[in-house]
């Protein structure tokens, strides 16, 4: 059907037709020597329509047949039907749950669609038959059958690579948007392209609920040119239950079609305008896919690490510029802008040409402006000349930045006692070694600041790097003299100070008992039993 005025025109006298949907928008792009194929099937036993059968399958099958030269890359699946939704199905007996869902309400009736990435299932299975099952709409469709809007079906889009193909840009648009007499045109503009040639250019779409018998201004136009592939899809009946991949016309109430557009786009084009129209029949467009021979880079950037430059009110930012979702080299000298709370604080340029799939890393030192709040938003934007203007035409102009919230804990190293007095411990065992309780020195070296954290190390290198701290008590010192290297820092700060603490071991005095006792005569006051001993004379 669809349009209610054909099936039961009296309804239009009492109820307004309301449509709620999700606009068709760019969802994903694949760039490389890529092409695509789609396969799937309807659940309808025949074309729907008022007075027709009200039965529907709960599963159906279709075949994938890639050639040996066509290397599987990715696969995504859409399924759709009447009702509010069945979002858990099986593909070849494997559970698949919707990762994204779409809905449409047309004249108080609900319709749904679902999306899932099925690359693992399809990649593991390879060529052969695929069966979608447990999409059970039998209890739902009785309310839809009198209106002729009962339908269900599924399709899988497979992206593949082939060495003989040119560098193509595959753009997958999706949503769930109705085209009908009350909303008779759906327009999509594909921007950010650079058409190198029109070789192998094509467009495909997945649409639901079309009827072969209703041909009222059902058209597909590219850049204003009317597109068709008769006899399967005449100029005025684009949505007629056909499958261009199998050349069949029994894909009841779903359309899985593609068209060559080699003669309607031109080298040098930077945009393509797609128009879908329907003057009567209700058609719900689920996705549109385009293949353009386009060679264009795509600059993205990532913040890898940020370190405080201690004592200078500066930070060092490590970053990487990528050219991944692209079909051309990103030129050297592509500008990069650095912002703190949206204030420009620095600029840089890429150094080398970045090939497709490659990247380049860099580092930039930034001064933190006086008065910058703490924390602040640090944002890096590639292909930005500092005024928000790019110099490179890219496949995607919306993915050029990376942003983090950065908190400066302390930009100055801790103030500590840089010349602590040597620490002396007696060698009670007289073996040349002694134990030192290192934590006993914290307050002296930290000048009484309890927020300073001290660690002790056996080398200046380990202290500078903050690695391999010594444990306490420390007993591995060399006899009589040793030093440890002290690192002082605040928690969560990269700024630190170091100093050296000397550890000294002293021998304990050796006491020898005299061979004979010390004797004095009682001569001062004979008979009182008391005499004074001068111990300083005893050695």
């Amino acid at each position: 059907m669809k349009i209610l005025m054909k099936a039961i025109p009296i309804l239009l006298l009492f109820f307004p037709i309301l449509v709620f949907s999700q606009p068709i928008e760019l969802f994903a792009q694949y760039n490389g020597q890529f092409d695509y194929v789609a396969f799937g099937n309807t659940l309808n036993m025949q074309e729907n329509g008022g007075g027709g059968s009200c039965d529907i399958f709960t599963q159906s099958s279709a075949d994938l047949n890639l050639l040996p030269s066509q290397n599987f890359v990715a696969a995504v699946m859409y399924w759709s039907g009447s009702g509010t939704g069945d979002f858990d199905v099986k593909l070849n007996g494997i559970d698949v749950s919707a990762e994204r869902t779409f809905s449409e309400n047309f004249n108080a009736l609900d319709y749904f669609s679902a999306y899932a990435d099925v690359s693992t299932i399809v990649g593991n299975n390879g060529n052969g038959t695929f069966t979608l099952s447990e999409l059970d709409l039998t209890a739902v469709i009785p309310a839809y059958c009198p209106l002729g809007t009962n339908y269900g079906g599924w399709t899988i889009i497979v992206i593949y690579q082939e060495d003989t193909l040119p560098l193509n840009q595959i753009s997958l648009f999706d949503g769930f948007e109705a085209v009908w007499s009350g909303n008779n045109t759906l327009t999509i503009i594909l921007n950010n392209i650079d058409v190198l040639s029109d070789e192998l250019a094509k467009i495909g779409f997945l649409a639901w609920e079309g009827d072969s018998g209703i041909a009222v201004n059902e058209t597909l136009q590219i850049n204003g040119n009317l597109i068709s592939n008769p006899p399967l899809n005449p100029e005025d009946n684009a949505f007629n239950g056909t499958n261009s991949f199998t050349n069949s016309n029994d894909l009841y109430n779903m359309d899985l079609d593609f068209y060559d557009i080699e003669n309607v786009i031109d080298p040098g084009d930077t945009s393509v305008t797609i128009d879908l129209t329907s003057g009567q029949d209700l058609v719900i467009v689920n996705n549109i896919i385009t293949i353009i021979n386009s060679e264009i880079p795509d600059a993205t950037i990532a913040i890898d690490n940020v370190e405080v430059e201690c004592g200078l009110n500066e930070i060092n930012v490590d970053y990487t510029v990528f050219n991944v979702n692209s079909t051309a080299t990103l030129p050297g000298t592509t500008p990069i802008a650095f912002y703190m709370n949206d204030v420009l604080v620095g600029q840089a340029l890429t150094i080398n040409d970045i090939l497709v799939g490659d990247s380049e890393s860099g580092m930039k030192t930034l001064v933190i402006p006086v008065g910058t709040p703490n924390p602040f938003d640090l944002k890096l934007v590639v292909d930005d000349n500092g005024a928000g203007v790019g110099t490179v035409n890219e496949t995607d102009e919306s993915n050029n930045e990376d942003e983090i919230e950065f908190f400066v804990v302390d930009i100055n190293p801790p103030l500590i006692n840089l010349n602590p007095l040597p620490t002396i411990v007696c060698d009670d065992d007289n073996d040349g070694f002694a134990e030192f309780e290192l934590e006993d020195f914290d307050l002296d070296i930290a000048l009484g600041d309890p927020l300073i954290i001290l660690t002790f190390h056996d080398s200046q290198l380990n202290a500078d790097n903050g690695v391999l701290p010594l444990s306490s008590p420390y007993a591995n010192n060399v006899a009589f003299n040793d030093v440890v290297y002290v690192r002082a820092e605040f928690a969560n700060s990269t700024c630190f100070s170091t100093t050296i603490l000397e550890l000294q071991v002293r021998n304990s005095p050796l006491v020898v008992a005299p061979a004979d006792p010390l004797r004095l005569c009682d001569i001062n006051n004979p008979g009182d039993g008391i005499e004074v001993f001068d111990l300083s004379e005893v050695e």
Side-chain angles (χ1 to χ4, degrees), residues 327-476:
T327 52
T329 297
L330 180 68
T333 69
T334 297
I336 305 167
F338 301 79
Y339 298 89
M340 293 182 187
N341 288 347
D342 294 323
V343 176
L344 182 68
V345 294
Q347 293 177 272
L349 300 171
T350 59
I351 299 174
N352 304 302
D353 291 345
I354 303 177
L355 302 178
V356 174
D358 209 345
S359 63
E360 176 183 286
S361 295
M363 191 276 285
K364 180 70 175 179
T365 298
L366 303 174
V367 177
I368 302 175
V370 176
T372 301
N374 195 17
F376 56 84
D377 292 327
L378 174 65
K379 180 170 64 176
L380 278 59
V381 186
V382 65
D383 192 23
D384 180 351
N385 66 356
V389 178
T391 61
V392 180
N393 187 28
E394 303 178 63
T395 60
D396 186 353
E397 298 284 359
S398 65
N399 62 351
N400 288 20
E401 66 182 53
D402 191 19
E403 184 174 4
I404 63 170
E405 183 181 69
F406 188 71
F407 182 76
V408 180
V409 177
D410 199 305
I411 208 161
N412 295 305
L415 182 62
I416 62 173
N417 182 1
L418 297 178
N419 297 291
L421 294 174
T423 297
I424 301 173
V425 174
C426 290
D427 178 11
D428 294 333
D429 298 330
N430 291 310
D431 60 356
F433 296 89
E435 291 186 343
F436 292 82
E437 300 291 344
L438 299 178
E439 64 271 11
D440 291 345
F441 316 130
D442 284 5
L443 293 181
D444 175 48
I445 297 177
L447 299 177
D449 189 341
L451 298 180
I452 295 178
I453 301 171
L454 298 183
T455 54
F456 300 85
H457 306 264
D458 63 0
S459 70
Q460 185 66 52
L461 180 62
N462 287 343
D464 290 340
N465 293 326
V467 298
L468 301 177
L470 300 173
S471 59
S472 182
Y474 173 60
N476 294 325

Side-chain angles (χ1 to χ4, degrees), residues 181-198:
S181 61
N183 181 41
N184 58 18
T185 302
L186 172 61
T187 299
I188 296 172
I189 299 177
L190 176 59
N191 288 311
N192 302 322
I193 65 170
D194 186 7
V195 177
L196 186 65
S197 76
D198 63 357

Side-chain angles (χ1 to χ4, degrees), residues 6 36 235 320 397 423 468:
K6 175 186 176 187
Y36 92 101
E235 287 185 352
T320 302
E397 298 284 359
T423 297
L468 301 177

Side-chain angles (χ1 to χ4, degrees), residues 201-352:
K202 64 183 178 182
I203 182 172
F205 64 84
L206 169 65
W208 308 102
E209 235 306 284
D211 294 281
S212 61
I214 302 177
V216 180
N217 195 34
E218 288 189 4
T219 69
L220 170 65
Q221 299 179 50
I222 305 295
N223 289 346
N225 298 287
L226 197 60
I227 305 300
S228 64
N229 58 350
L232 202 63
N233 294 105
E235 287 185 352
D236 61 347
N237 198 4
F239 310 108
N240 55 356
T242 56
N243 185 339
S244 300
F245 296 93
T246 61
N247 201 36
S248 64
N249 59 3
D250 57 358
L251 199 66
Y252 304 125
N253 303 112
M254 67 178 281
D255 283 271
L256 191 56
D257 290 312
F258 71 88
Y259 300 82
D260 294 328
I261 53 173
E262 292 185 357
N263 297 320
V264 296
I265 62 169
D266 298 312
D269 282 352
T270 58
S271 67
V272 174
T273 300
I274 305 165
D275 291 301
L276 299 171
T277 69
S278 177
Q280 178 177 333
D281 193 13
L282 168 65
V283 176
I284 306 174
V285 180
N286 204 164
N287 65 54
I288 298 174
I289 190 165
T290 61
I291 300 182
I292 304 293
N293 179 210
S294 174
E295 294 195 9
I296 193 168
D298 184 42
T300 59
I301 194 167
I303 300 172
D304 299 323
N305 188 47
V306 182
E307 289 187 353
V308 172
E309 189 67 26
C310 296
L312 298 178
N313 203 44
E314 296 176 349
I315 58 174
N316 295 327
V317 182
D318 296 313
Y319 61 88
T320 302
V321 176
F322 299 89
N323 182 31
V324 176
N325 184 35
S326 61
T327 52
T329 297
L330 180 68
T333 69
T334 297
I336 305 167
F338 301 79
Y339 298 89
M340 293 182 187
N341 288 347
D342 294 323
V343 176
L344 182 68
V345 294
Q347 293 177 272
L349 300 171
T350 59
I351 299 174
N352 304 302

Side-chain angles (χ1 to χ4, degrees), residues 18-182:
L18 300 177
V19 178
F20 304 96
S21 58
Q22 292 82 57
I24 301 291
E25 297 177 337
L26 179 64
F27 171 62
Q29 284 185 324
Y30 306 86
N31 293 282
Q33 291 177 290
F34 294 158
D35 202 341
Y36 92 101
V37 65
F39 65 99
N41 208 344
T42 181
L43 297 181
N44 286 35
M45 299 179 182
Q46 61 186 37
E47 188 166 275
N48 62 22
S53 170
C54 195
D55 298 307
I56 196 167
F57 294 116
T58 61
Q59 68 177 49
S60 62
S61 300
D63 295 332
L64 171 64
N65 294 297
L66 291 179
L67 299 176
S69 60
Q70 297 171 342
N71 303 304
F72 173 83
V73 174
V76 297
M77 182 169 72
Y78 294 84
W79 65 97
S80 180
S82 306
T84 56
D86 184 350
F87 301 120
D88 295 291
V89 296
K90 290 183 182 292
L91 181 63
N92 283 6
I94 300 172
D95 291 333
V96 177
S97 295
E99 298 171 14
R100 299 163 60 235
T101 63
F102 308 88
S103 62
E104 175 90 34
N105 185 285
F106 182 84
N107 201 32
L109 289 175
D110 293 311
Y111 305 89
F112 79 94
S113 175
Y115 162 95
D117 189 317
V118 291
S119 297
T120 300
I121 299 175
V122 177
N124 290 339
N125 190 88
N127 284 340
T129 300
F130 287 81
T131 299
L132 181 88
S133 60
E134 297 194 12
L135 179 52
D136 191 352
L137 305 177
T138 55
V140 176
I141 62 171
Y144 295 77
C145 293
L147 307 179
T149 60
N150 50 298
Y151 80 90
W154 62 280
T155 189
I156 294 176
I157 296 171
V158 175
I159 309 296
Y160 65 85
Q161 182 274 340
E162 192 167 14
D163 291 339
T164 59
L165 291 172
L167 288 171
N168 291 325
Q169 180 183 87
I170 300 179
S171 299
L172 174 60
F173 300 80
D174 69 11
F176 208 53
E177 192 163 2
V179 180
W180 60 296
S181 61

